[in-house]
């Protein structure tokens, strides 16, 4: 929906959550992972239908553009360890967004 409104989307981040109505580990649904996979498939399909759309190409070009993080710890556990254990994902995401920002910045801003 954001693309159709003209927003630029450089990355999508999902945070895993599980639905386990029966408390059966085999029946649990991993929403984050499932949504990330579905988005990749959707983007790939849309790109095949209309390769002229840069938005599809951009998200497919970089594996770090669609991120799925593990579930947040339950409240009231602080997020410090969760952040530390996902530091690599956050760094890759930061590098991707920093690169995109530099690509968008006017040339004058790149000069010292």
């Amino acid at each position: 929906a954001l693309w159709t409104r003209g927003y630029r989307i450089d990355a999508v981040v999902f945070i895993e959550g599980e639905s386990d109505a029966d408390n059966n580990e085999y029946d649990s649904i991993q929403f984050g992972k499932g949504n990330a996979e579905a988005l990749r498939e959707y983007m790939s399909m849309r790109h095949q239908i209309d390769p002229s759309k840069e938005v599809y190409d951009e998200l497919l070009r970089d594996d770090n553009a669609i991120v799925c993080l593990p579930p947040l710890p339950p409240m009231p556990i602080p997020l410090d360890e969760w952040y530390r254990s996902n530091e690599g994902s956050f760094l890759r995401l930061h590098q991707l967004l920093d690169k995109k920002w530099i690509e968008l910045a006017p040339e004058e801003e790149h000069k010292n």
Side-chain angles (χ1 to χ4, degrees):
L2 293 174
W3 286 304
T4 59
R5 294 180 182 165
Y7 288 94
R8 179 186 170 105
I9 309 296
D10 291 321
V12 177
V13 178
F14 295 100
I15 296 177
E16 190 61 76
E18 292 186 359
S19 171
D20 191 61
D22 298 326
N23 290 328
N24 180 345
E25 66 182 83
Y26 299 107
D27 290 337
S28 69
I29 300 169
Q30 295 181 323
F31 291 109
K33 184 178 179 185
N35 284 329
E37 290 171 0
L39 180 59
R40 283 187 184 98
E41 184 177 326
Y42 173 78
M43 297 302 288
S44 179
M45 179 191 68
R46 295 297 303 169
H47 180 69
Q48 290 172 6
I49 292 171
D50 188 359
S52 68
K53 296 276 189 185
E54 281 186 33
V55 65
Y56 308 128
D57 192 40
E58 285 293 319
L59 272 179
L60 289 171
R61 198 177 310 162
D62 195 318
D63 289 337
N64 296 319
I66 300 174
V67 179
C68 184
L69 297 170
L72 293 170
M75 292 291 286
I77 298 173
L79 295 175
D80 300 337
E81 183 54 39
W82 184 82
Y83 282 120
R84 257 191 302 283
S85 66
N86 295 292
E87 184 176 11
S89 294
F90 285 113
L91 286 173
R92 287 187 296 277
L93 184 60
H94 176 76
Q95 290 169 346
L96 170 73
L97 295 176
D98 194 43
K99 183 178 105 180
K100 298 293 184 181
W101 178 258
I102 290 171
E103 290 172 2
L104 288 174
E107 284 297 319
E108 299 83 42
E109 292 183 19
H110 297 294
K111 297 176 185 175
N112 291 333

